[in-house]
Amino acid sequence: MTEIDEALPVLPRELTSITDEVRAVPAPPTPVLAEPYHFRLVDARADAEMISEWMNRPHLVEAWEYPHPPGWWRGYLGAQLAGDYSRPFIASFKGKEIAYLEIYRAARDSIAPRYASDPHDLGVHAAIADLRFVNKGIAPILLPRVMASLFELEPQCRRIMFDPDHRNTGARAVCEWAGCAFLGEHDMANRRMALYALPRTPEDVPK
């Protein structure tokens, strides 16, 4: 058995029972950011070691709980790239790679039953690798640019979802600062999450 084989199942949050309407929606788009920021799709094999090292840093072990070895990450990243549910990205600032982000189809995710999901909804998970950037408040600068690009690229997307752990006060503060609607705390299989939605318009706030 290889390192990648040991990672299975690699996408535990992806729903297997979905409607044809949800299944027909394509994979999330790649955000386009103006300099000094840059967004690129992950290379599963070339980037797995770097992402693994990031996720083993104490602040991301606490926030993500994904302190896995490179082999696990190769399988997990490869599985995202092989399907239409989620896409993994690396964000850079002035040429320095600083963050790992996942953009996923919320209607295909385990959060979907927790609110009135729409097939074109997107969700975002973000991990800022360098604590120096975290302490400089890079998330409130970077994430609004990502959100604006996603809404521009996806005219049918009505809202962008966030689901931080309920204890993650930093992530929750960013969601609230960005103007997200709070949809309550929900018990999931392995954690309790705080669910937020950033609507395109006030009418797009989900129930």
Side-chain angles (χ1 to χ4, degrees), residues 39-104:
F39 232 64
R40 69 170 177 85
L41 198 62
V42 161
D43 181 317
R45 294 201 171 272
D47 293 322
E49 187 168 345
M50 176 182 70
I51 294 172
S52 174
E53 190 276 320
W54 286 356
M55 291 299 183
N56 277 274
R57 296 181 182 182
H59 71 290
L60 290 182
V61 170
E62 180 179 1
W64 275 65
E65 299 181 344
Y66 273 24
H68 301 302
W72 185 94
W73 277 99
R74 281 193 290 273
Y76 178 71
L77 298 169
Q80 291 185 72
L81 296 168
D84 292 331
Y85 155 64
S86 180
R87 285 289 180 267
F89 298 98
I90 298 292
S92 301
F93 175 69
K94 294 184 177 179
K96 178 179 175 58
E97 294 176 330
I98 62 168
Y100 169 76
L101 293 93
E102 293 174 356
I103 300 174
Y104 62 94

Side-chain angles (χ1 to χ4, degrees), residues 14-29:
E14 183 178 11
L15 300 180
T16 56
S17 179
I18 57 176
T19 66
D20 290 340
E21 183 183 14
V22 171
R23 188 174 290 106
V25 177

Side-chain angles (χ1 to χ4, degrees), residues 2 12-13 36 157:
T2 68
R13 291 180 51 140
C157 177

Side-chain angles (χ1 to χ4, degrees), residues 99-121:
Y100 169 76
L101 293 93
E102 293 174 356
I103 300 174
Y104 62 94
R105 289 296 181 189
R108 296 189 182 198
D109 188 84
S110 59
I111 69 170
R114 308 295 177 162
Y115 78 105
S117 63
D118 181 87
H120 289 271
D121 286 352

